[in-house]
Amino acid sequence: MSRNSAGPIVDHTGIGSGAELSTWATLRRGAVLSPELTRGIWVTIALALLSTLGRVLVPLVIQRTTDEGLLAPAGPDLGRVWMWVGIALVGVVVTAFSAYAVNIRLFTSSENGLAALRIRAFRHIHDLSMLTQNTERRGSLVSRVTSDVDTISAFVQFGGLMLVISIGQITLATLLMVWFSPLLAAVVWACFVPLFFLIRHFQGVVGRAYTRVRERVGQLLGAIAEAVVGASTIRAYAVQERTAARIDAAIEAHRAAAVGAQVRAVVAFTAGQFVSGLTTAIVLVVGTWMAVNGRLTLGELLAFLFLVNLFTMPVQQATEILNELQNAVAGWRRVIGIIDTPADIADPGEAGVDLPRGPITVDVDRVTFAYPGGEPVLRDISLHIPPRARIAVVGETGSGKSTLAKLLSRLVDPDLGRIQLDGVDLRRVRFDTLRSRVVLVPQEGFLFDASLLDNLRFGRPEAGEELILDTLAELGLDDWARSLPLGLATPVGQRGESLSAGERQLVALVRAYLANPDLLILDEATSAVDPATEVRVQRAIDGLTRGRTSVAIAHRLSTAEAADEVVVVDRGRIVERGPHHILVQQGGVYAGLHASWSAQHGH
Amino acid sequence: MTAVPRSTLCKGAAVVARGIREQPRWFGVAVVGSALYGIMTGAMAWVIGRLTATVIGPAVAAREVTAGQLWQIGLTISAVVLLNVAGIILRRVGAGFAMYGLGAAYRQRVTRQYLELPLRWHHKHPSGQLLSNANADVEATWNIFAPLPMALGVIVMLIFGTVQMVIVDPLLAAVAMVVFPLLFAANALFQRRMSPQVTRAQQLRADVSEVAHESFEAALIVKALGREDQEAARFAAVSHELRDANIAVGRTRGTFDPAIESIPTIGTLVVIAVGAWQASRGQITAAEVVQIAYLFSVLSFPVRAFGWVLGEVPRAVVGWERVNAVLQATGAMEFGSVSLPPGTDALPIAARSVDYAYEVENPSGATDRAPVLQGVTIDVSAGGTTAIVGPTGSGKSTLAGLLVRLVDPDTGVVLVDSVDLRRLRHGALAEAAAFVPQQAFLFEDTVRGNVTLGLQVSDDQVWQALRIARADGFVSALPGGLDTVVGERGANLSGGQRQRIALARAIVRNPRLLILDDATSAIDPSVEQEILAALRRAAAGTTVLVVASRMATIALADDVVFLADGRVVDHGPHEQLIERCPPYADLVTAYVRDAAARAETRHTDAPESAAEVPA
C-alpha cells in the first residue's frame, strides 16, 4: 500500500536520482530546500555588481588618466592626472570592500544553507526503509551527504560569484566597446563566438578525461589496498610479484589518465589564450586602418585594447564556470533525489496508536512477501504467538525465516495480509512505541568506533556505568567485561574489530536487554565462535528472553531445543510447528535438521 | 620568505631538488616553456609599444597605411601570441609529466615496500594510514611541481620586465621594486593563514564522511533501536563544525582576495602618478609611462605563482616525511637458498621452543611487548591431521602464521622437513604449503584468478578444487562462471562463499602441508562437514593443521594440540586429552554441558510453561 504513495521521483523502492529535474527546476527546488541561500541574495548580487563596476571602471579611469592627463596635447597635465588617480583610488577601495562583503555574505549563507541540507538528507536516509537503503551502496549514500553537497558549496562560493561578476563584466565591457567603436566591438564578438563553442566542446572532452582519472584513482586505491589488507595471503602464497604487477598496472593507468587529462586541459586552456591574443592582433590591424581613416583616435585604439583584455578574461572564466554549474547541478539533483524519496515504511505519527507496555501477543495473518522484482519468499503465512512464548523459527538458508524477522520488526511491510501486535495492525503503531516495545537483534550487531561502554548503551545513551555493570551481571557477562584490557572503557576499534565475532554478539544482546522490549526478535548469528563464548552467548540469550515474548531465527540446535515452540519454515511456508521433542519424533523436516546438527556437536 | 619557517623551506627545497633530479627532462621542458611564456608576456607590452611608436603612430599621423604595414602589425602580434601559447603548453605539459611521473614512481616504491616489509611492520600501521601514504601523501609531495615552473618562469618575466623599466626610468623601476615584494609578502601571509584553516576544514570533511559512513553502515541497528534522532544529532554536530571551519576559510579569503587584487592596481596608479611627474619634468615620454603601466599590470598576476608555491611547501614537506618513513622502514624478511626435496608427498612440520610477542605502542609512545607464544614446541608428522584448540586469545592464529612463515619467531625455530624456514629460498615454502586465514582475502580478480593466483593449472583442476571446497555450485551460477570478477575484496560474495574460494585456492595447489586457521567459521556447519570430509579424502598426501573451534572439526584430527595463554598445555588424541586434561575437557564440552543443563532446567520448568502456552 505504501509503495503506491511513491511520488514521481522514485521507481518502486529505489532512491531518486533527481535525473528528471531540469537545471532550472533543480536550482528552484534547491532554493526552496535551503532558504538560507536566497535570503538577502539581492543585496549580495547588488554588492557583486558594485565590485564588478569597480573592476571595469578602474582600468577605464586609468585609461582616461593617460589619455587626458598624461597624453594631453600640451604635455602631461599633472592636475588632471592626480584628480583621476584619486578617483581611481576611491574606486579601488570601494571595489575591494564590496568584494569583501560579498565573500563573507556568500560563505555564511551558503555554508548555513548547505549544512542544513546535509543534515536533512542524512536524517532522511535513516527514515528510508532497509529495502530502499539497500538499493544503493553505502558509499554512494555517503557521497550524497558529503561530496555532492561539497560540489554545490564550491560552486556557490566560487563559481556562482564568478559567474555573476563575469557576466556583469562581459556586459559592461561590451557596452563600452560598442560606445568606443561598434565595428571593433563586432570584430571582438566575431572572434569570441566560435571560441565559446570550442571551449564548451573542450570542456566535454576534459570533463570525461577527469572522470576517467577519478575512476583510475578508485582502481588505484583498490589495488594498493590489496597489498595492505591482503598482506598475509600475499606472503603465504608468495605472490608478491604478481601483486606488484597488478599495482603497477593500476599506477600506470592512473598516471596515463592524469597526464592525458592534463594535456587536454592545457589544449582547452590555451585555445582561449590563443583566441584572446589573436583578437588583440586583429583589433590592432582593423583599429589602425580605422585610425588612419580618421574614424578613431590613436588614444581610443589603445583604450580599446584595454577593453579587449577586460572582455577576454571573463569570457574564458564564464565558459569554465558553466561546466562547474553542470557538476553542481548534478550534485544538487542527487541530494534532492534523496530528500524527495518518500519513506515507504513511515511512522503513522499522530494518526497512529500507542501500545501500552506489557506482555505482547503477535498475530501474523495470511502474510505474503516478495522482495522487489522477485518471487514471494513468504507465502500466506499465519502464526499466533501468545504472550511470553519463546518461539524458534528454523529452516534452510533461503527458506524465508530471516524475512519473517524483518516483517515482525517492521523493517519491511507485507505485500498481502497483516501483522498485529495486541490486535493492532503493525502499520498503525507509532514508531515511538514500536521501537521501544519491539526490538530486533540483527545477525551482525554493528559496533561503533568507540568504547565498549558507549557501544553497550547505544540504545540508551543516558544509562550510567552502574546500570551497565548490573545488566552485565544479570546476563552473566560481568566476568567477560572484566577480562577485557580496559574493562568497559576498552575501545572496540572500527566496526568492533578488536572484539571477536562472539563478543560482538554479546554487545548486541546487552543493547537489546537495556532497551527492555516486550517483543524480542532475535536473528541468531551463523558464524562459529569458540565454545566458551558460545556458552556466554547462550546464557545471555536466556536472560534476555526470560519473561518476554520472543521470536528467534535459530541457527543453533540449543535455541530450538530451549524454545517453547519450534516453527519450521520451508520454501516460504510453515511446514511444521510444535515443541522440540514432539517434532523430533515426527521424522519430518525438523527431525532431519536436528540429526545433522547433533552429528556435529558430538551428541 | 618570512611566512614559512626556514627549516620547512629548506626541507621543501630538498624535496624539490629530489624531484628535479628524478625528472630532469620534463622539468627542464616545463621551465623552458615557462621562461618562454614569461618573456613573451613581457614582450607583448613592448611589441605593442614599439608598433605604436614605429608603425601605427606614423601611419595615423600620415593618414595612410599600406597592406604591408597592416601585415607587419598582425603577424608580429600573432608571432608573440603563438610563442606565448607554445610556452604555456610546454610549461603545463612538462609539469604534468614531471609531477605524475614522480607520483607514479613513488607509488611504486611505497607499494613495493608494503609487499616486502614484514607483517610485524604491517601490524603496527593501520591500513587507512598506509593507503593514504601511497595515495594522498605521494600526491601532496609532488603537487608542488604544478606551480613551480610557473614561479620560475615568473622570475624570468620579472627580470625581463625590470630591465625594461630600469632602461626606461630607474625611478619607476624603484616603484615596482616596492610593489612586487609587497604583493609577494601579502600572498605568502595569505597562504600561511589559509593553510591551517584549509587543513582543518579538510580534516572535518573527512570526519563528516566518517560519521555518515559509520551511521549508514549501522542503519539496521539504528532502526532496530530507534536511534535516528541521536544519529542525526551526532551528524549535525560535526556538520556544524565543518560549516564554521568553512566560514572561517571564507573570511580569510574574503579579506585577502580583494586586498591582493587591489595591490597591483594601486601600484599602476602610483606608476602613472610618478610617471606623469617624471614626464612633466621631461625625464621620459608619456608613451613610455603608458608602456610601463601596461607592463606592470600584466606582470602582477603571475607574481601570485610564488604564493602558490609557498602554499604548497608545508604540504609537500609533510607528505614527503610520511612517504619517506615508509621508504626508510627496514626489516624485510630475508630468505636462504635451500629448496625442499621435490615430490608431492606430505611434509612433517615442527616448532621448537618458539616465543613470539606482538609490539604494541602504548599511549606514551614507547613500544610494549605483549607475549603471545612462549616456549611452544609441537611436532606434526607427515600426513597427519592435527587440530590446534584453545580459548580466544591463546595464540592459535599466531602459531598458524609462524608455521607458514608469515612472521618469524623471536626465539626458537620452525622446521619443515627438518629445515629451518628461514633457510628456505623465497617461494619454496609457498610451493609446498598452503594457508587459509580466518578472514578469507580475495583479490578484485576473476574467480579463476583468485583460485590460481597465477599458478598454471587447467580449468578442470580449478573446478575440481572448487568442488572439494563446495564452491562449484555457486560459482557455476555466477553470470561469467570462472571469469566472473568478484568485486573489491570479493564484495559480491557472502562470507561463506569467500571462505570456500580461499579453500579452493589452497586445494588446487595439492599442498604437501595445509594450514587452516579457522577457515570455515562463516560456513554453515552442515556444509563445513561435507568440505572437511572431501578434504580428508583429497588430501591423502598432505599434512593438515587446523585451528578449530567446532567440535566437528576437532573430531577429524588424529592429534590435538591444546594451547592456553600462549603455551602448549597438552597434546595427543582427542579421546585421551578429554580424559587427562580437565581444562581441555572443560573447553570442548562446555557447549554440550550447557545444552544438557538447559535441557534439565526446561524439564523442571515444563509444567509451568506448558500452562502458559495454549495449544
Side-chain angles (χ1 to χ4, degrees), chain A residues 360-379:
Chain A
I360 228 165
T361 313
V362 182
D363 280 290
V364 178
D365 186 12
R366 309 201 60 178
V367 163
T368 296
F369 179 82
Y371 288 98
E375 290 286 299
V377 285
L378 288 177
R379 300 164 197 265

Side-chain angles (χ1 to χ4, degrees), chain A residues 55 58 62 65 70-71 76 78 81-82 88-89 92 96 99-100 103-104 107 111-112 118-119 122-123 125-126 128 133 138 141-142 145-146 150 158 220-221 224-226 228 230-240 242 244 246-248 251 254-255 258-259 262 266 269-270 273-274 277 281 284-285 288 291-292 294 298 309 386 388 397 411 435 439-440 442 446 448-449 458-459 461 495 511 527-528 530-531 534-535 538-539 542 558 561-562 600-601, chain B residues 56 60 63-65 70 73-74 77 81-82 85 88-89 92 96-97 100 104 107-108 111-112 114-115 117 119 122 127 131 134-135 205 209 213-221 223-224 227-232 234-236 239-240 242-243 246-247 250-251 253-255 258 261-262 265 269 272-273 276-277 279-280 286 289 294 392 406 426 430 435 441 443-445 449 453-454 489 505-506 509 521 524-526 549-552 587 590-591 594 598 602 612:
Chain A
R55 263 169 236 230
V58 166
I62 293 175
T65 318
L70 211 51
L71 302 170
L78 279 185
V81 168
W82 280 328
L89 277 176
V92 169
Y100 166 79
N103 268 322
I104 304 288
F107 266 92
E111 283 301 327
N112 276 315
R118 208 194 281 279
I119 294 164
F122 176 90
R123 181 67 176 81
I125 288 173
H126 273 304
L128 297 173
Q133 286 175 354
R138 291 293 183 255
L141 287 177
V142 171
V145 297
T146 54
D150 292 338
F158 301 88
L220 174 70
L221 283 174
I224 298 172
E226 288 187 345
V228 173
S232 317
T233 302
I234 289 165
R235 280 160 184 74
Y237 288 89
V239 286
Q240 281 92 343
R242 181 176 189 269
R246 287 165 60 84
I247 296 173
D248 288 355
I251 291 175
H254 169 259
R255 192 198 65 87
V259 167
Q262 174 90 342
V266 171
F269 174 75
T270 49
Q273 290 276 312
F274 183 67
L284 210 53
V285 168
T288 304
V292 165
L298 186 56
N309 253 342
R388 292 208 180 89
T397 307
L411 291 178
R435 299 290 180 228
V439 164
L440 168 81
F446 187 89
F448 293 84
D449 188 5
F458 174 70
R495 294 182 191 81
R511 279 177 182 165
S527 59
D530 68 87
E534 172 89 34
V535 169
Q538 283 308 331
R539 293 216 178 110
D542 281 350
S558 56
E561 281 177 347
Q600 291 156 49
H601 291 293
Chain B
I56 305 174
V60 172
R63 296 200 151 269
E64 197 183 347
V65 65
L70 290 180
I73 297 168
I77 304 260
V81 167
L82 271 178
V85 164
I88 296 177
I89 292 179
R92 291 183 57 167
F97 271 95
Y100 294 120
R107 285 192 173 118
Q108 285 193 356
T111 48
R112 220 40 113 253
Y114 292 168
L115 291 172
L117 287 169
L119 274 187
H122 276 266
S127 41
L131 268 184
N135 183 47
R205 207 163 282 140
S209 168
H213 215 283
E214 193 179 54
S215 189
F216 293 159
E217 284 212 28
L220 179 60
I221 196 84
K223 261 186 209 309
R227 303 314 301 176
E228 290 93 342
D229 288 336
Q230 184 193 348
E231 285 299 288
R234 191 160 78 97
F235 183 75
S239 290
H240 285 150
L242 172 62
R243 175 196 65 191
N246 278 340
I247 291 178
R251 275 190 185 284
R253 236 176 61 107
T255 313
E261 212 171 313
S262 310
T265 317
L269 288 172
I272 289 173
W277 179 62
S280 73
V289 178
Y294 181 74
T392 306
L406 290 184
H426 183 237
F435 170 72
F441 177 82
F443 293 86
E444 187 171 3
D445 197 350
L453 292 186
R489 281 169 236 167
R505 177 188 288 164
R509 294 178 148 65
S521 59
D524 255 8
S526 52
S549 63
R550 280 182 179 145
M551 192 53 231
L587 183 76
Y591 172 76
D594 191 59
R598 289 152 60 100
R602 197 176 58 244
E612 258 178 38

Side-chain angles (χ1 to χ4, degrees), chain B residues 410-544:
Chain B
D410 296 336
T411 56
V413 284
V414 179
L415 305 165
V416 63
D417 202 27
S418 305
V419 182
D420 184 339
L421 291 189
R422 285 170 290 205
R423 290 179 51 223
L424 290 175
R425 65 173 168 80
H426 183 237
L429 186 62
E431 283 160 19
F435 170 72
V436 186
Q438 209 169 5
Q439 296 282 336
F441 177 82
L442 299 194
F443 293 86
E444 187 171 3
D445 197 350
T446 58
V447 172
R448 182 190 293 105
N450 266 297
V451 173
T452 63
L453 292 186
L455 190 72
Q456 295 302 317
V457 288
S458 69
D459 278 6
D460 285 347
Q461 285 169 292
V462 172
W463 278 115
Q464 173 65 19
L466 288 169
R467 212 161 11 253
I468 293 170
R470 289 294 177 271
D472 51 333
F474 77 84
V475 170
S476 57
L478 290 174
L482 288 183
D483 293 313
T484 314
V485 175
V486 299
E488 199 178 347
R489 281 169 236 167
N492 305 342
L493 304 175
S494 75
Q497 289 173 331
R498 285 198 291 272
Q499 282 195 335
R500 287 184 237 181
I501 291 196
L503 283 167
R505 177 188 288 164
I507 295 164
V508 81
R509 294 178 148 65
N510 288 321
R512 302 162 76 182
L513 172 63
L514 176 62
I515 294 178
L516 305 177
D517 180 8
D518 210 357
T520 49
S521 59
I523 297 174
D524 255 8
S526 52
V527 179
E528 181 200 26
Q529 205 59 27
E530 293 174 27
I531 293 174
L532 294 176
L535 203 56
R536 220 173 139 81
R537 282 195 298 277
T542 306
T543 310
V544 180

Side-chain angles (χ1 to χ4, degrees), chain B residues 239-486:
Chain B
S239 290
H240 285 150
E241 261 186 82
L242 172 62
R243 175 196 65 191
D244 296 342
N246 278 340
I247 291 178
V249 167
R251 275 190 185 284
T252 308
R253 236 176 61 107
T255 313
F256 277 87
D257 262 358
I260 289 176
E261 212 171 313
S262 310
I263 292 175
T265 317
I266 294 173
T268 310
L269 288 172
V270 173
V271 166
I272 289 173
V274 175
W277 179 62
Q278 286 284 74
S280 73
R281 296 193 307 148
Q283 296 283 328
I284 47 173
T285 68
E288 282 170 330
V289 178
V290 176
Q291 187 198 336
I292 300 280
Y294 181 74
L295 190 65
F296 198 87
S297 63
V298 170
L299 287 182
S300 52
F301 178 73
V303 167
R304 288 183 170 203
F306 277 111
W308 301 334
V309 170
L310 281 185
E312 287 289 339
V313 166
R315 247 165 64 90
V317 169
V318 172
W320 169 248
E321 279 168 359
R322 294 192 193 163
V323 169
N324 200 32
V326 175
L327 296 181
Q328 297 304 321
T330 51
M333 202 170 253
E334 305 212 340
F335 294 92
S337 54
V338 178
S339 294
L340 287 167
T344 55
D345 41 335
L347 293 170
I349 187 157
R352 298 263 179 280
S353 315
V354 163
D355 283 359
Y356 187 83
Y358 280 107
E359 288 172 2
V360 203
E361 204 160 291
N362 64 23
S364 63
T367 309
D368 284 343
R369 294 174 65 80
V372 191
L373 293 177
Q374 296 175 45
V376 169
T377 295
I378 60 167
D379 261 296
V380 181
S381 52
T385 299
T386 302
I388 304 175
V389 179
T392 306
S394 55
K396 298 174 298 218
S397 287
T398 308
L399 180 56
L402 279 166
L403 297 179
V404 285
R405 213 187 165 202
L406 290 184
V407 290
D408 282 330
D410 296 336
T411 56
V413 284
V414 179
L415 305 165
V416 63
D417 202 27
S418 305
V419 182
D420 184 339
L421 291 189
R422 285 170 290 205
R423 290 179 51 223
L424 290 175
R425 65 173 168 80
H426 183 237
L429 186 62
E431 283 160 19
F435 170 72
V436 186
Q438 209 169 5
Q439 296 282 336
F441 177 82
L442 299 194
F443 293 86
E444 187 171 3
D445 197 350
T446 58
V447 172
R448 182 190 293 105
N450 266 297
V451 173
T452 63
L453 292 186
L455 190 72
Q456 295 302 317
V457 288
S458 69
D459 278 6
D460 285 347
Q461 285 169 292
V462 172
W463 278 115
Q464 173 65 19
L466 288 169
R467 212 161 11 253
I468 293 170
R470 289 294 177 271
D472 51 333
F474 77 84
V475 170
S476 57
L478 290 174
L482 288 183
D483 293 313
T484 314
V485 175
V486 299

Side-chain angles (χ1 to χ4, degrees), chain A residues 166-177:
Chain A
S166 300
I167 290 172
Q169 213 167 324
I170 291 169
T171 316
L172 270 174
T174 305
L175 287 176
L176 288 168
M177 286 194 300

